[in-house]
Every structure is written in C-alpha cells, then in structure tokens.
Amino acid sequence: MARFVPEPRLQEQRKYRLPFRLGASILPIVGACFVSNLATVLEWTGSVGILIAFVFPCALQYNSVRLCKQMFGPVGHHTQYHSHFWSSLRLVRMVAVCACSGFVLVMAFNVMNDS
C-alpha cells in the first residue's frame, strides 16, 4: 500500500485501507467459487511460492545494484559487507534463471496433473 499511498498518515485512513483489504480478500473467494478441490489450490499456490522465494529477491537485488550504480557510480554498491561472490550479478541472474526454469517445470507438472 505504501507504493500507492506514500504518506504513512494517510495509510491509516479507512478510504485507503478498505480497497486494499477488499482486493486481498475477494480474489480467494472468487477462486473458491471455481475450484472445489483444495489439493489443486495448494499445488498452484506452491508454484507461486517459487516465484516469491527465489525470483522476486533476485529482481530486487538486480534492480537495487543497478540503481546504486546509477546514483553513486560504478563502485557505489560496495559496502564493508560486499563480496564478489554474493554480490555478483551473474549469480543473481543464474539463480533467477534456475528459479524461472523450476517454476515453468512445476507449472507444467500442475497442468499435466489437472488434465
């Protein structure tokens, strides 16, 4: 919600809180109308968990390093905790590619099991 309503004081107002809560609660209710088997729901949510656990952190790391390089120069993202292995964009790309491949594989298995 902070992305859409940047001021923290305004985030507490009901007119801003209500649409976000409705958006978060209506999607599962609508999904429950179409899917009667809980195992199917858990398979698909587990697949999305791969994205949340592996792909999104890689995207955040990649974009933060890119923005730090733009703002502070080529070594602006180096801190005392920087290491060439863990802060490598090659490693971030490799993890993202492996995670996306795993996501596609899991989604293919989900589709084949549903058929």
Side-chain angles (χ1 to χ4, degrees), residues 19-92:
F20 287 97
R21 287 185 177 178
L22 283 174
S25 62
I26 288 176
L27 184 64
I29 293 170
V30 170
C33 293
F34 296 106
V35 178
S36 60
N37 188 1
L38 184 61
T40 304
V41 173
L42 293 176
E43 286 175 0
W44 290 98
T45 55
S47 304
V48 174
I50 292 173
L51 289 177
I52 294 170
F54 296 108
V55 176
F56 292 158
C58 289
L60 291 172
Q61 169 76 7
Y62 184 79
N63 284 328
S64 66
V65 169
R66 187 179 52 84
L67 288 173
C68 283
K69 284 182 180 180
Q70 285 178 351
M71 293 175 69
F72 305 117
V75 291
H77 65 287
H78 291 199
T79 65
Q80 62 185 359
Y81 305 108
H82 175 79
S83 95
H84 291 288
F85 180 71
W86 295 113
S87 299
S88 169
L89 289 181
R90 279 189 223 130
L91 178 66
V92 171

